[in-house]
Amino acid sequence: MPTTRARTCPSRSRPRSSSGSARTGDVTYTDNYYTLAHFSRFTRPGATRIAASVAAAEGDTAPVQASAFTNPDGSTALVLHNPSTTVAHTTTISAPGVHVTTKVAPDSTVTYTWARP
């Protein structure tokens, strides 16, 4: 079974809005900045988006969101985002050669990567 690696990016402690000053050069990084970092770090140029789906639990008003990509080297990157600010979600990742159950913390983004089976 290929090794999966997870990178988390909890964003609860980060500001939700952006601010900055051209005069002082001060910058405040937002949730979107850190989420975009997952895509730009693990999805390589030339990657192809592939199908990814999440089965939400009954009554779940903020299910985990997923995007998956196959990189040119054959590796796969799966980015999961939990928009709930209070509930952690247990998620099972099933792909050829990969079966992992993990918990996605509230208001966080996590990326899983694995090599071609």
Side-chain angles (χ1 to χ4, degrees):
M1 173 190 292
T3 302
T4 60
R5 297 180 303 192
R7 298 344 192 263
T8 60
C9 180
S11 54
R12 292 190 318 208
S13 61
R14 296 190 181 92
R16 293 221 171 258
S17 61
S18 175
S19 63
S21 169
R23 186 171 41 88
T24 64
D26 291 341
V27 176
T28 301
Y29 296 103
T30 65
D31 291 348
N32 290 340
Y33 172 85
Y34 291 99
T35 299
L36 182 60
H38 278 265
F39 287 94
S40 60
R41 181 168 181 193
F42 301 107
T43 304
R44 307 311 319 148
T48 303
R49 186 159 185 216
I50 57 176
S53 61
V54 176
E58 187 175 329
D60 190 356
T61 59
V64 171
Q65 301 162 350
S67 291
F69 302 86
T70 298
N71 289 311
D73 67 358
S75 66
T76 301
L78 172 66
V79 181
L80 300 175
H81 175 69
N82 181 359
S84 171
T85 57
T86 58
V87 178
H89 288 282
T90 300
T91 304
T92 299
I93 301 166
S94 292
V98 176
H99 188 81
V100 176
T101 299
T102 184
K103 194 170 269 194
V104 183
D107 198 24
S108 66
T109 299
V110 60
T111 300
Y112 285 88
T113 59
W114 59 90
R116 171 184 359 211

